[in-house]
Amino acid sequence: MLVRRWLAGAGLAVLTGAAATLYGALSASAGDTAPAGVAPAPVAAGVAPPGAAAPAAPAARASTDPVLSGKRRVTIVRVGSFESGLSLLDSGRLAEVDDDRGRQVFVPTPLGAGEYLIKAYYGGGIGKPVCWQARNPNNGQPLYVAGATCRADDPAQRFAIAPAPGGGAREYLVSNRWAYLRDSARSGLILEELGDAPPVSSFRFNDTGPAPRR
């Protein structure tokens, strides 16, 4: 009888843990967004914006996908885009292009806790890399991604990469301190907090070979 009760209790604990995990994954798509026309201020990782409930973060865990190992170079394509890929333009801003402009080779380099430096190279992985960095223009416009000298200790360069819920193979959400990378019809690629805004964009990482030795 005691054994039977113990087994029943263990089964309940497992089910409860699984439910909590599922709830956490689903709630990662909920949060708060800034008023229209006002850029959300950057906040520290794990801290909700003032007056907002803290959204649930994607589960932080080491990925086993080789494209996130820091040893492979990738191209990144927004799911649903037409013949366009991500490029860090020479003007400095991350954008979608349908030609060979800018740096279109990326190496997501793990930093731990599900965060990555995203290094950008010219075609074939040549040249000294620059890294993605979240920028706030402080003029009421949305946050965006630009290039900067790589610094692993800069929170603005530590991007979370998490599997897109219900997405396909190597389909990920990309975020920096609760602001998710997404496409805006008016502003192009921006970083925006979740909430009443349209669903965030997801991105497919395509393996193109070994990472440069830099």
Side-chain angles (χ1 to χ4, degrees), residues 3 44 50 53 78 85 117 121 132 134 151 164 171 190 196-197 199 205:
V3 172
R78 178 173 56 86
L117 277 180
Y121 296 84
W132 290 19
R151 290 186 54 183
E171 187 175 328
I190 62 172
D196 295 330
F205 287 42

Side-chain angles (χ1 to χ4, degrees), residues 111 161 172 187 192 204:
L111 300 172
I161 301 176
Y172 294 100
S187 304
E192 187 173 65
R204 184 169 293 109

Side-chain angles (χ1 to χ4, degrees), residues 64-137:
T64 58
D65 190 338
V67 299
L68 300 181
S69 67
K71 299 177 181 180
R72 308 295 296 178
R73 65 178 189 262
V74 302
T75 58
I76 302 177
V77 177
R78 178 173 56 86
V79 175
S81 66
F82 296 96
E83 299 182 358
S84 297
L86 270 58
S87 176
L88 194 57
L89 300 177
D90 291 340
S91 61
R93 183 160 178 162
L94 185 69
E96 289 183 295
V97 300
D98 56 7
D99 52 29
D100 60 357
R101 287 177 296 153
R103 299 170 183 258
Q104 301 184 28
V105 174
F106 305 106
V107 178
T109 303
L111 300 172
E115 294 183 326
Y116 300 79
L117 277 180
I118 303 181
K119 299 177 181 179
Y121 296 84
Y122 288 110
I126 62 174
K128 183 178 180 179
V130 297
C131 283
W132 290 19
Q133 184 180 69
R135 296 279 183 87
N136 186 345

